[in-house]
Structure formats: C-alpha cells, structure tokens
C-alpha cells in the first residue's frame, strides 16, 4: 500500500514535469544577444526568454470554414491576446534572410506615420518620448506610413544599429515573440515591460 502511493506520486510528478516542459517549449524560446544594437537595454551576450504566445493569432477565415453557420465579416488574423505594440522589444526573422533572428524595438505599428528628423522620432506628427535611449544619433528618415501588417523597428543604440531605416519594415509573420526576461548574466536579470 505504502509503496503503491509512492509509485503513483512519482508517476504524477513525472507527468506534471513533462507537461510543464512541453508548455515551456511551446511558449518560450531562448535567444542570445549578438551585437550592441540594443545597448544599453540589452548587451551582447545577454540571454533572453522570448514569449512566443503573447502575439498568438487566430485565422478567422479558416475558423469560419470549420464552425457551421458562422462566417467572419472580414476574414483576417485576429490577435487573441495583444497585438505587437510600439515600445515592445521583439525577436523576429530578418526579412532579407529569415534564417537569421534579430532583436529590436517596435517604433511604428500598422497605420502609423513614422518620421525621423536629426535623430528625433515622431509618430503621426507627434514627437515620440524615448526614455530608453542613450544615443539618439542624427538620422533623417521618412515620413513613411505603415500599411496594414507592417512594423517599423529600431535598435536602442541608434548610431550602432542596422534596422528598418536600412532594410525596411517587417510583417507580422516575421515576428517570433516579445522579449520577456533577461535571465543571464545574473547581474542583468530583469523583466522587460
Ligand atoms: C541635431 O541634434 C543635435 C542634438 O542631438 C544638435 O546638437 C544639432 O544642432 C542638431 N542639428 C540640426 C541640424 O538641427
Ligand atoms: C553602439 O554601437 C556601436 C557600434 O557597435 C558601439 O561602438 C557603441 O559602443 C554602442 N553604443 C552604446 C551606447 O553602447
């Protein structure tokens, strides 16, 4: 009797452990920061956990073909949680070589008009407050109005970053997830908003 309880507990613990492991595999991806383009927010060699589920999208067009008597007015990909927002630090597939992944900050979301004048970013003619910046640089860019599904990303180290100013915008399908936590080195441990 004693022994059977013990065995059952072991099996339960193993199953729960396996479930948690699978859940983490589905929800989180690890990422190592390579360059200094996100300094000082992220430094080269930092290890990140990236939340893949936060931007989960539902294809309502496909759903409409499965659910009887329901057709979406306008088939589209709908975000279940939140959509990618201005200010979010994201990891994405580089549009010009999707084998490579980069980390940058979203500056413009669909519908926004982005302009940069002497390093100062404005969105829809309003100056963007960027407290996370150490170096603003002196780039000029745009104005550019982002189409539906188009995102404009910049590195926080504006003078040491190759980003949307150089290679253009990216679409939502390139976005892998939102940077959630810096977990290594320990001294840099912290959650990103
Ligand atoms: C650009 O901004 C810098 C400060 O960041 C300022 O010193 C410089 O005078 C500005 N240049 C122009 C052309 O406005
Ligand atoms: C920005 O990037 C350049 C080039 O990689 C680097 O030399 C510089 O130290 C970085 N700036 C900051 C504030 O980290």
């Amino acid at each position: 009797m004693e022994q059977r309880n013990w065995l059952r507990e072991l099996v339960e613990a193993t199953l729960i452990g396996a479930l948690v492991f699978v859940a983490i595999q589905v929800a989180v991806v690890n990422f190592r920061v390579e360059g200094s383009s996100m300094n000082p927010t992220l430094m080269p060699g930092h290890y990140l956990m990236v939340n893949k589920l936060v931007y989960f999208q539902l294809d309502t067009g496909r759903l409409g073909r499965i659910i009887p008597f329901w057709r979406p007015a306008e088939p589209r990909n709908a975000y279940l949680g939140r959509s990618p927002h201005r200010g979010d630090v994201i990891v994405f597939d580089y549009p010009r070589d999707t084998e490579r992944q980069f980390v940058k900050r979203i500056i413009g979301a669909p519908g926004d008009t982005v302009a940069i004048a002497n390093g100062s970013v404005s969105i829809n003619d309003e100056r963007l407050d960027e407290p996370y910046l150490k170096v603003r640089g002196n780039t000029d860019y745009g104005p550019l109005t982002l189409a539906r599904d188009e995102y404009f990303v910049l590195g926080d180290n504006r003078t040491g970053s190759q980003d949307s100013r150089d290679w253009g915008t990216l679409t939502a399908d390139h976005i892998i997830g939102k940077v959630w936590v810096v977990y290594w080195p320990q001294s840099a441990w912290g959650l990103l908003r």
Side-chain angles (χ1 to χ4, degrees):
M1 197 61 181
E2 276 281 291
Q3 192 165 2
R4 287 196 58 182
N5 280 340
W6 177 84
L7 198 64
R8 184 170 154 183
E9 267 175 34
L10 180 70
V11 169
E12 276 177 8
T14 308
L15 279 179
I16 290 170
L19 269 180
V20 168
F21 179 79
V22 169
I24 289 175
Q25 294 294 306
V26 170
V28 171
V29 65
N30 286 307
F31 185 81
R32 183 179 189 275
V33 180
E34 294 293 345
S36 46
S37 80
M38 279 298 286
N39 289 12
T41 310
L42 304 171
M43 306 296 261
H46 277 183
Y47 282 87
L48 315 175
M49 276 193 214
V50 179
N51 184 335
K52 284 194 284 184
L53 287 184
V54 63
Y55 301 138
F56 184 77
Q57 290 191 76
L58 210 59
D59 180 344
T60 62
R62 184 180 297 173
L63 213 61
R65 291 193 289 277
I66 298 170
I67 302 177
F69 311 116
W70 180 75
R71 293 286 172 274
E74 188 193 0
R76 65 195 178 95
N77 287 338
Y79 287 99
L80 277 194
R82 66 183 254 141
S83 59
H85 273 55
R86 186 183 312 142
D88 289 0
V89 177
I90 58 165
V91 169
F92 56 91
D93 291 326
Y94 177 42
R96 292 199 184 165
D97 176 4
T98 52
E99 293 299 303
R100 299 171 70 192
Q101 284 75 42
F102 291 152
V103 57
K104 305 279 180 216
R105 189 184 292 274
I106 296 178
I107 297 297
D112 285 345
T113 298
V114 182
I116 309 175
N118 191 25
S120 265
V121 177
S122 55
I123 302 293
N124 307 326
D125 286 329
E126 239 178 78
R127 169 110 193 245
L128 182 64
D129 183 29
E130 299 191 279
Y132 41 80
L133 285 190
K134 276 267 168 19
V135 281
R136 207 166 283 282
N138 58 1
T139 345
D140 293 311
Y141 184 91
L144 171 75
T145 299
L146 298 170
R148 179 169 143 172
D149 208 39
E150 236 185 337
Y151 293 86
F152 187 90
V153 296
L154 295 177
D156 285 358
N157 178 359
R158 294 288 151 82
T159 55
S161 172
Q162 296 268 321
D163 45 40
S164 287
R165 292 171 297 182
D166 310 291
W167 44 256
T169 57
L170 57 120
T171 49
D173 56 339
H174 288 95
I175 299 177
I176 294 169
K178 181 174 184 298
V179 175
W180 177 40
V181 59
V182 180
Y183 70 89
W184 192 260
Q186 257 173 319
S187 57
W189 203 94
L191 290 170
L192 261 77
R193 236 176 37 82

